[in-house]
Amino acid sequence: MKRVVVAPGDGIGPEVIPPALDVLRFFHPDWEYIPVYLGYECWKRTGDALSAKTLDVLKKADLILFGAITTPPDPKYHSVVLRIRKELDLYANLRPVFGNGFDILIVRENTEGLYSGIEWQEKDRACTLRVVSEAGSRRIARFASACAKKRRRHLTIGNKANVMKSDAYFLEICMDEAEKAGISIDKKYIDSLVLDVLQHPSRYDVIVTTNIFGDILSDAAAYLEGGLGMLPSANIGKSQALFEPVHGSAPDIAGKGVANPIAAIRCVSLLLKYNGEKPLATEIERAIQKTITDGIKTPDLGGTASTEEVGRAVLQNLVNVKKETVDQ
Ligand code: NAI
Ligand code: MG
């Protein structure tokens, strides 16, 4: 029995989370599901984007299924996603990207770097502090090395150590942890790495990098899978994990019922894998692939199906797989 907190959030979040939740409930009807209200709409209505009470509920969750949040560039508004990652100390952000002939795992440091949240405004300039700590770097380097050890035993370290001292520091720590883990490494400057991942995705396995570089790299890598509607992510801490699509609240398509729910459904795959239920994650992936080959696709993938239609098709394919297994 697990306590799952469900936070749909803003924009397309409340559109893509219900089909994802249907899939999770299909496998675990007996788990406890607790909905919470947070985000920009919540801020507009209540003056608080993330109340102390909601934060407390999140802190008591085993697992969190999260949609997306709108973050307006308003200096009075602080990003809810960043706050949750920090408050719950969800230090590892995993973003798998896989397809024909490639299987990449982007491991992004999730609590510091340029998203440290330490910023201030002066008379004629605004400053954001890029914090790269030894503890923060070591734990993400260890995490990435452990992932690499279970895969192709190779780690790519995305960095900009040629320009920034903070990245030279990060790189050194990653190399040290990789050596301890007995895996090989290569170092790549993040700008050329982004291009190379797109041109030669099969060359990569686990990539570790700092917060903002991982954010940019994973959005760009979504190109390999057909766009942002496809990529899930896991935010992992010591004893809790939060799963959210890589995409944001997509205000340009919100309310139209055409958002691609696959990224959100794949979050459920990651959640189940994290919970030690890899075979179920594989079933979901098969159901998604079947839905796509059947041509049931939202407009971002060139189809005409709605969010609900894709969600229903994935669920139906899961039910069919179960039936076949029982019939055999
Ligand atoms: P976005 O990811 O929301 O949208 C970028 C483009 O991709 C848009 O054209 C959108 O229509 C498309 N797209 C995204 N998800 C899609 C899906 N499931 N199906 C079909 N098309 C999809 O990024 P954008 O526009 O930069 O940001 C919008 C808002 O989301 C901002 O307020 C931003 O701060 C927030 N955001 C929140 C994130 C989070 O909650 N973790 C992450 C990224 C952005
Ligand atoms: Mg992003």
Side-chain angles (χ1 to χ4, degrees), residues 95 215 219 246:
R95 300 185 158 194
D215 191 1
D219 272 33
V246 166

Side-chain angles (χ1 to χ4, degrees), residues 12 16 66-72 81 85 95 215 219 228-230 244-253 258-261 263 298 300:
I12 61 167
V16 296
F66 196 91
I69 293 287
T70 298
T71 308
V81 188
R85 287 175 187 161
R95 300 185 158 194
D215 191 1
D219 272 33
L228 278 172
M230 302 294 283
E244 60 173 336
V246 166
H247 65 72
S249 60
D252 54 337
I253 56 164
V258 295
N260 188 346
T298 43
D300 55 309

Side-chain angles (χ1 to χ4, degrees), residues 94-110:
L94 307 190
R95 300 185 158 194
V97 189
F98 55 88
N100 219 344
F102 62 92
D103 182 358
I104 305 170
L105 180 65
I106 299 169
V107 180
R108 159 186 169 193
E109 198 291 317
N110 213 21

